[in-house]
Amino acid sequence: MLEFDHVTFRYAKNMPVVLSDTSLKFGKGEFIAITGRNGSGKTTITRLLTGLEKPTKGRVLYEGKDITKEEASERSRFIGYVFQQPDRQMFMPTVREEIALGPYHQGKRGEELNRMVEKAMMETDTTALAEAYPRTLSRGDQQRVAIASALAMDTEYLILDEPTSGQDGHEKKMLMRLMESLQQRGITIILVTHDMDIVARDCTRVIVIASHKVA
Ligand SMILES: Nc1ncnc2c1ncn2[C@@H]1O[C@H](COP(=O)(O)OP(=O)(O)OP(=O)(O)O)[C@@H](O)[C@H]1O
Ligand SMILES: [Mg+2]
C-alpha cells in the first residue's frame, strides 16, 4: 500500500497550493485512474509518489512506513514511472543498457542481470529494439522501454502520466493490453488519463482531482 497522509503541497513558499490536506490510498493490485482538469495537480501527485517532489505538509507512506524523506532513486526499488515525455528518462546508448541501468544500480551483474533484462524485454515486446538508440524511438516504443526498465527492477507500482494522449488506436490498445497483463501479475497500475473509455473499461477505481482535493 502507498499512502498520502494529509498531504499539502505548493511548489514554492509564495506559490498557490496545488494539493490541500489530501489523504489517499493506493492498494496492492489496483488499477487506478487519476483524472481532473488541466493544471489540477495530477502530475504533481505522481511526482509526490515517486519522490521527485516532497510534501509541504503531511507524509507519504509505503506499507505503513514513512518514506516522505526517501529520494526518488531509493523509491525506484518499488515504484516505476513512465514520464509524460519518456525521452526525458532515457540516458543510455542502447535499449538493452537503458533497461539494465536500474538492476545494475541494485547490484545485479552478469547472468542474473542479463536474465532480468531479457525477461523485461520479452514482456514488453521490446526485444527487437535491444540495440536501438532509445531517444530516437517512437513515443510508444519509449513507453514500453520505460515499462521494461521498471519490470527489470521487479516493480510493485507502475505510474504512467497520460501515456495514451496523442497515440493512435492501435498503440493505445497495445499499451492497455500490456497494462492489463501487468495488473494480472499483481503490479499496481496508477494511470493519469483524460480518456474516459480507458477509465470505464480497465480501471478498478477513479480518483478525480478538483479544487486541490479529491473530488
Ligand atoms: N515546477 C512547477 N513550478 C511551479 N508550478 C508548477 C510546476 N509544475 C506545475 N505547476 C503548477 O501546479 C499546478 C498543477 O500542475 P500539474 O502539472 O500537476 O497539473 P496536471 O493536472 O498534471 O495538468 P495537465 O493535465 O496539464 O498535465 C498547475 O497550476 C501548474 O501550473
Ligand atoms: Mg500533467
Side-chain angles (χ1 to χ4, degrees):
M1 172 103 70
L2 265 174
E3 263 176 273
F4 279 180
D5 176 30
H6 296 284
V7 168
T8 293
F9 179 78
R10 51 181 90 224
Y11 276 95
K13 257 204 190 108
N14 49 4
M15 298 281 282
V17 163
V18 178
L19 211 57
S20 171
D21 193 21
T22 296
S23 294
L24 268 175
K25 286 185 172 146
F26 302 90
K28 272 278 169 63
E30 287 194 275
F31 195 137
I32 300 163
I34 300 178
T35 189
R37 294 198 173 173
N38 292 114
S40 58
K42 304 179 295 295
T43 296
T44 304
I45 288 175
T46 65
R47 293 178 63 85
L48 285 161
L49 284 171
T50 53
L52 292 168
E53 305 292 348
K54 298 291 160 62
T56 309
K57 262 194 227 152
R59 302 183 303 162
V60 182
L61 307 176
Y62 170 61
E63 308 295 19
K65 182 176 155 258
D66 189 346
I67 57 161
T68 314
K69 293 205 169 76
E70 271 192 17
E71 295 304 330
S73 56
E74 295 172 74
R75 295 189 203 180
S76 67
R77 72 185 189 278
F78 55 88
I79 304 179
Y81 190 22
V82 180
F83 280 52
Q84 208 159 353
Q85 285 132 339
D87 59 314
R88 297 203 182 153
Q89 65 188 121
M90 313 263 144
F91 304 104
M92 301 301 284
T94 67
V95 164
R96 186 190 299 283
E97 288 164 280
E98 184 64 46
I99 298 169
L101 198 59
Y104 182 86
H105 282 306
Q106 284 181 323
K108 304 290 190 300
R109 297 288 186 276
E111 259 318 292
E112 189 188 14
L113 178 61
N114 285 340
R115 251 199 327 274
M116 292 178 93
V117 173
E118 293 298 329
K119 186 162 165 267
M121 288 197 297
M122 290 256 275
E123 287 181 291
T124 53
D125 199 20
T126 52
T127 307
L129 305 174
E131 306 310 322
Y133 179 54
R135 299 192 85 150
T136 54
L137 296 174
S138 72
R139 178 155 170 255
D141 285 343
Q142 285 174 346
Q143 284 172 336
R144 282 182 295 119
V145 172
I147 294 166
S149 296
L151 295 181
M153 294 182 77
D154 236 341
T155 198
E156 293 170 41
Y157 293 85
L158 188 62
I159 303 175
L160 302 98
D161 195 355
E162 308 230 18
T164 59
S165 61
Q167 294 205 336
D168 66 30
H170 174 70
E171 282 177 315
K172 215 154 123 171
K173 210 184 268 172
M174 270 184 36
L175 183 68
M176 293 320 296
R177 232 180 255 153
L178 177 57
M179 293 300 100
E180 284 160 26
S181 72
L182 296 180
Q183 190 214 1
Q184 278 160 17
R185 271 185 36 192
I187 295 174
T188 305
I189 311 287
I190 302 171
L191 188 72
V192 175
T193 186
H194 287 290
D195 191 326
M196 287 305 142
D197 286 341
I198 290 177
V199 170
R201 200 178 45 237
D202 295 302
C203 297
T204 55
R205 186 153 64 96
V206 187
I207 296 169
V208 182
I209 305 299
S211 309
H212 322 296
K213 294 248 188 206
V214 177

